[in-house]
Amino acid sequence: MTFQEELVELRRSLHREPEVGLDLPRTQEKVLAALDGLPLEITTGERLSSVTAVLRGSRPGPAVLLRADMDALPVHEKADVPYRSRVDGVMHACGHDLHTAMLAGAARLLSGRRADLAGDVVFMFQPGEEGQEGAKIMIEEGVLDAAGSTPVAAYGMHVFSTTIPRGLFLTRGGPVLAAADTLTVTVRGRGGHGSSPHRALDPIPAACEIVTALQTHVTRTFDVFDPVVVTVGSFHAGTTDNVIPDEARFETTIRTFSAESRDRARDGLVRVARGIGEAHGLTVECEFGIGYPVTVNDRTESDFAAEIVREHLGAGRFFPLPNPATGSEDFSYVLERVPGAFLIVGACPPDRDAATAPSNHSAEAEFDDAILSDGAGLFTELAVRRLALAAH
Ligand SMILES: [Zn+2]
Ligand SMILES: [Zn+2]
């Protein structure tokens, strides 16, 4: 079996048995089996089923961290593929099975190149990326100290089933993915008869006013080149036409691309909501949910990663990412502490049109595993070359 075939086999085995959240026992077992026999120092997580592996190079030097997330999503797979999920309602719809296989492949390749390594490589196999803050928990459990010193650089990748042409690697300096926070607003008044609003305190018109005011606030407050996206995705109030309810409630997702805008958005949106409620004599309760921070690439590291893609895979395989993507990532917690780069990889299958193919998280998403050995090779080159750079 070729290296590529082995990676495909591992990826498909992970795909058939997807697991959600922080506890991925079967996935962890498969990763440990894939790493078995390699000269690695392996530890597993306490609060989550993570795997941290350290490879010591032949010469002393700093450490570089490579990361893959391993969790799936509560999605029922509709894609008609031979390696379809065997678990009802669970699917690797975000392609983390590919990330895991690529990193296991890199561990194998780098184990064979210890003589080239001036320093150590930390392999971070992470559960719970899809909302459970697995990266943050691994940091709390010491992944950044696994080699004995904080890594000088960290790299991660994410496959896309759509938009990006197959086999293309993209990244950019600065923000690469959004911060995703939530705001839940409850407007409280006093219910009554629909025919006599003057005897009640109607929360609905004020709540509607807040929804539109939030959009106005965003367009009048933030630089269009440091955008803020606010979407009210749910709005609930009342039961029938002639009853004024006691309260109205809505939920908002807030995407930002800089720490400054993120802080200002939180303060401003809450102020607008409260102010409008108060103007109408209502009380407004704002519950702000902190999500993942902005994923920010170090410019030197993203330039370096781009150079390695061009040299290792070919000039045509790299494309500069023009704008950040509006998704979010908990690798951002690693990049808050370690300079590094996060790359986006086009993995749309050849029989689909990248412009229209179903996106990540869709029940019909498909990812082409032909890119696995390229991904593993790129992780490997990034580690070898970055350690060589540090030695100079
Ligand atoms: Zn996802
Ligand atoms: Zn993902």
Side-chain angles (χ1 to χ4, degrees), residues 73 93-94 96 129-130 158 328 360-361:
L73 282 158
C94 204
H96 298 182
E129 191 286 322
E130 298 285 359
H158 207 302
S328 67
N360 292 38
H361 289 206

Side-chain angles (χ1 to χ4, degrees), residues 221-239:
T221 311
F222 295 97
D223 186 336
V224 287
F225 298 109
D226 181 15
V228 174
V229 176
V230 170
T231 294
V232 177
S234 97
F235 188 106
H236 296 283
T239 51

Side-chain angles (χ1 to χ4, degrees), residues 183-188 207 210 214 234 236 248-252 269-270 273-274 283-288:
L183 176 65
T184 302
V185 177
T186 308
V187 181
R188 291 209 174 85
I210 295 171
L214 296 183
S234 97
H236 296 283
R249 185 184 166 89
F250 61 86
E251 293 175 319
T252 307
L269 296 171
V270 168
R274 288 218 175 103
T283 55
V284 174
E285 191 190 301
C286 293
E287 205 181 305
F288 199 85

Side-chain angles (χ1 to χ4, degrees), residues 32-75:
L32 291 172
L35 303 181
D36 191 39
L38 301 179
L40 302 166
E41 297 165 17
I42 293 178
T43 49
T44 53
E46 283 172 23
R47 288 153 60 201
L48 73 180
S49 56
S50 58
V51 176
T52 301
V54 178
L55 178 68
R56 304 287 179 189
S58 64
R59 281 160 290 143
V64 163
L65 181 142
L66 305 174
R67 176 269 201 174
D69 43 8
M70 309 190 285
D71 56 320
L73 282 158
V75 171

